[in-house]
Every structure is written in C-alpha cells, then in structure tokens.
Amino acid sequence: MSRKRIALLLFAVFGLSAILIAQWMDGGGKSLSSFTQVGGGGNAGGTEGETGRSSQSVRVAVTMGEEEFASMKKLADQYEASHKGVELKIDNLPPEEAYAALKKEAQLGQPHDVMLLPNEWLNEFAALGYLSTVDDLLTGDQQSQRIATSLNQVKWNGFLWGIPKDVDPYIIAWSKEKAAAWSKDHTPESTEELLAWIKQFHKPDGTGYGLYARTEDAYSLLSLVSATGIPADTTGSPLARLDEPGSIQQLQSLLLPDEKTWSAEAFERHYPAEGKGFQPWELLESGKLAAFLTTVSDYKLHGGDSVTISALPVTVTGKLSQMGTWLKGRSYALSSKAKTNQAAVAWLKEISSLDSEMKLWADGRRLPALIPAYTTSALRNDPSYKSYAWLVEQGRVLPVQIDAAKKLAALQADAAMLRQGKLDLKRFGETTAAQWKPQP
C-alpha cells in the first residue's frame, strides 16, 4: 500500500474516532444470527484441508431478495467448484439490520471481506476506515464502462471505494385502462397534468385511487417531492426546500387530493398502508388504482400486460419541468481488514463481471451498472429496453454526502411518524428540510 493511502486511512481512523466512540457507546447493531447464510463454516483465514492444501474462506455480505440471492448462491457454488481451496461464505442480511450490523462488526474488527452496499453508505464507510480502495481493480477504461452517475457516488477524497453493481430507477407504472380514458394522447408529463390525473381518477370514498406511492420508502418520498414541482436546491436535492412557503401545500395536493387540511386519518384513507387489505399491484391490474410510483425491479417482478411505465415529471429550476427519475444503486466494496485479500479480490472481480451481472439481472431485476450490458440480447430483447436505457441515461442520484445514510434513515423514520399521526405534514417538512440543508 502506498504512503498516500496509508496516510489517508490513518487520517480517517483518527480524525473520526469520536464518531466511532459514540456509535460504540450507544450499543447499536444486530446479531448476525438472523442472517441467511450460504456456504460452509470456518474462519476467515486460511486453514489446512484434509489433503494438506491451504484453503481460503471469503466472507461476503449482501442484502437481496429470495430469487436474486438464489442466483448469487449458484454463482458462488460454480466459483468454488472451479477454484479449489476457496470457500465462499455468503450472508444475506435483512435490509433493516444491515447498516447497523456491518458497522458494528467493522468496529469489532471482524468485518465481511466483500460487501454489497447501497451507494449512499460508501462514503461514510470509507471515511470511517472500513474499506479499501478499489482503484487498482478498475482501470480508466473499465471505469468508463460503468454508469458515470453511479461511479461518482462511490468516489471520496480522490479515491474509488466501490464497484457499481446496479441501478433501480423510480418510475410510474400506469394502468393502460385508465391511460386510455385519460383525455390526452400521453400519460402526465408535468406536475399540473399529474394533479389533473389524480383529480380525474382519485375517489375520496376509497373506491378508486389516482396515484399511490410507498411513503415509507425514502426514495419514493424523494420522487414525490420532485413531482410536486419543488426544484432541487444547490445540493441537488429538493428535500431541503420542504420548509419554504407553498412547498407543503404542493406536497399535500398529491397526498391528500380534495382535502383542505392535513390529518393522519385522511392520509390513511387516501394512502392506505400496504398490506393484505391493500395490494397496489392487484389494484393496478384491476383498474382500481390508476398509477403507482415504484421501481423498475418491482415492475419487472409484478407488472403485467395491463400496465405501462414512464419517467416522472421533475421540476429542474423554477417552473422548468421535464421527465426524469431518481436512481437507487448498490456497489461491491472490499473491507480494509479483509483477511484473505487475494481471494477476496479475485471473487470481487468475478462477481462484478458482465457475465455475473447479467445472470443476477435475470433474477434480481435490477438494471446493471455496466454500460456494455445494454448491448446484450438479454436487455435489448426486453420490451421496455428503450425505457430502461433512457431512464439510466437521464437518471439523477443523491449528492455525495458522508451522512447520506443517516439522513435517509431519519427521513423514513419521520415518514412513519407522519403515518402514525405523531407528525403533521408541516412539521414533517420542517424536520426534513433541516436534515437536508447544507451545513455551514
């Protein structure tokens, strides 16, 4: 390791020691016992097998749906079969536990060797000294093959800390039946048209819904705020403007059509919590729900022939509106304390290859962050290929911030309080804006 990198890691460790101590004191984190595990046991270091041959165990942490994880398991089994002496131990972490658990194990000095992390976590993990740089694994040409917006999210302090794996654009899935009844020859392309769509199809008595979004999802909330006509501030996010005059009224017009004042009861009536009694995809297919703000991966999993998709109306500056989307993405990262570094790096190269990405796309349904993937038959033959390519090219991402993960967690916590009636919409807007405003 070069002197420059050693100095960087020392600075990160000592400069942010206060954060580490605070996190240690609060006792956060979860037990690894609840993780789904694939692969044999053994410690992270090398061991002697029955044949006397040295073996290497590589611990990998991911957070995946059932089908994508099964695909990852198959790739791991094939890799082990062709790389004698290498054992891959893959843990599938529950999404609600992953952040705290991975940070706690890094503090204890027992991290996974390779981790699949949301892009918003990379800069914080790097600043805390938990990661090794991956600059040596991606040459300039290889970096140019990754989606630029994703690559920029995993850069910090002049170094590259992750290999972008995928992106998942937020889109609107439209009922073709309702779209045919819409008086225009296109689905809504502006805030005004979206409000008109909601007014036409939303029924206050609960017999029909104009637009639904999972408000407990931070990116869905971000997309809703963008669709209201609130432009982004200097940081690139519109969330910091939710305390400005008129912003809350604009958001309420989407969440509570036909309601003059905010109440948790009205919110639950217009935006029921998803569950057995309210299944958005079933309602969309039946025509009772006119539009659903969701992700490409969710659409690929549940969408049928009666549904079409498009981007979101997004206000750029002032009243300049265009179609766009927010991209959520994940990247592979290498622990700074990987005990089997050579084997971990070899697996990292394998799992981030084009062949592996396409196999995971087939089951995980998250669009690859590798540009060459969009020239493959698997993607080009997809009926929505042109939409995917446009969404990825035009998509925007959250600004690079070390505390982005904490801000997103706080946003989701406040959204839960909003639904429970512990926050009204005005207070929600004020607390959200305070979190996302640039710090002096």
Side-chain angles (χ1 to χ4, degrees), residues 6 14 35 84 99 101-102 133 162 167 177 191 210 212 217-218 296 299 317 324 326 348 359 365 387 391 399 426:
I6 292 172
F14 290 108
F35 299 165
K84 301 301 182 184
Y99 176 76
L102 288 174
T133 63
V167 290
E177 174 191 333
T191 302
Y212 185 78
D217 175 5
V296 164
Y299 163 70
T317 56
W326 286 94
L348 184 56
K359 289 175 181 176
R365 303 174 182 87
S387 294
L391 288 165
K426 182 176 184 297

Side-chain angles (χ1 to χ4, degrees), residues 33-308:
S33 62
S34 59
F35 299 165
T36 303
Q37 205 170 81
V38 174
N43 57 44
T47 59
E48 291 293 326
E50 292 181 2
T51 62
R53 191 174 184 177
S54 177
S55 64
Q56 292 179 306
S57 178
V58 179
R59 296 179 63 228
V60 183
V62 300
T63 295
M64 293 178 166
E66 184 177 339
E67 292 183 4
E68 186 180 20
F69 186 58
S71 183
M72 174 70 80
K73 178 187 182 302
K74 187 181 296 183
L75 289 174
D77 290 342
Q78 293 171 351
Y79 187 83
E80 286 181 334
S82 61
H83 292 74
K84 301 301 182 184
V86 174
E87 180 185 54
L88 296 173
K89 186 177 179 182
I90 305 179
D91 295 322
N92 194 18
L93 285 60
E96 68 277 5
E97 298 180 7
Y99 176 76
L102 288 174
K103 289 186 70 174
K104 175 56 64 95
E105 67 176 32
Q107 294 166 14
L108 294 173
Q110 300 174 337
H112 285 77
D113 301 301
V114 176
M115 295 165 281
L116 179 61
L117 305 175
N119 289 347
E120 300 83 17
W121 301 5
L122 264 291
N123 288 276
E124 181 185 0
F125 276 56
L128 291 170
Y130 298 161
L131 306 180
S132 289
T133 63
V134 294
D135 298 75
D136 294 340
L137 304 184
L138 290 182
T139 64
D141 288 342
Q142 290 172 328
Q143 289 187 34
S144 68
Q145 293 179 2
R146 302 280 167 173
I147 295 171
T149 48
S150 297
L151 201 65
N152 290 336
Q153 275 193 306
V154 299
K155 290 180 178 178
W156 177 74
N157 211 23
F159 294 95
L160 190 66
W161 300 94
I163 300 177
K165 176 194 177 296
D166 56 40
V167 290
D168 204 7
Y170 277 70
I171 46 91
I172 295 186
W174 309 92
S175 162
K176 288 184 179 179
E177 174 191 333
K178 298 302 183 186
W182 175 243
S183 59
K184 301 182 182 294
D185 59 359
H186 60 270
T187 50
E189 295 180 347
S190 67
T191 302
E192 291 73 24
E193 288 187 349
L194 186 59
L195 289 170
W197 171 282
I198 293 172
K199 186 175 182 180
Q200 179 169 336
F201 295 115
H202 193 89
K203 308 299 180 186
D205 61 0
T207 59
Y209 301 90
L211 173 68
Y212 185 78
R214 296 184 176 104
T215 53
E216 71 279 7
D217 175 5
Y219 271 89
S220 284
L221 277 169
L222 175 63
S223 299
L224 274 176
V225 173
S226 293
T228 62
I230 302 171
D233 70 348
T234 55
T235 69
S237 169
L239 296 171
R241 308 191 94 139
L242 273 179
D243 62 344
E244 295 181 4
S247 293
I248 289 302
Q249 190 58 45
Q250 288 172 270
L251 182 57
Q252 181 170 317
S253 64
L254 288 184
L255 295 175
L256 296 186
D258 302 320
E259 297 285 346
K260 293 183 178 180
T261 59
W262 176 267
S263 73
E265 293 77 14
F267 183 38
E268 181 62 29
R269 185 170 67 253
H270 288 278
Y271 264 67
E274 187 174 359
K276 291 183 179 180
F278 190 90
Q279 294 292 335
W281 283 109
E282 292 180 5
L283 295 171
L284 193 65
E285 292 285 352
S286 67
K288 190 175 181 181
L289 173 61
F292 181 24
L293 197 163
T294 186
T295 61
V296 164
S297 63
D298 197 33
Y299 163 70
K300 287 292 294 180
L301 183 63
H302 298 288
D305 294 337
S306 61
V307 177
T308 187

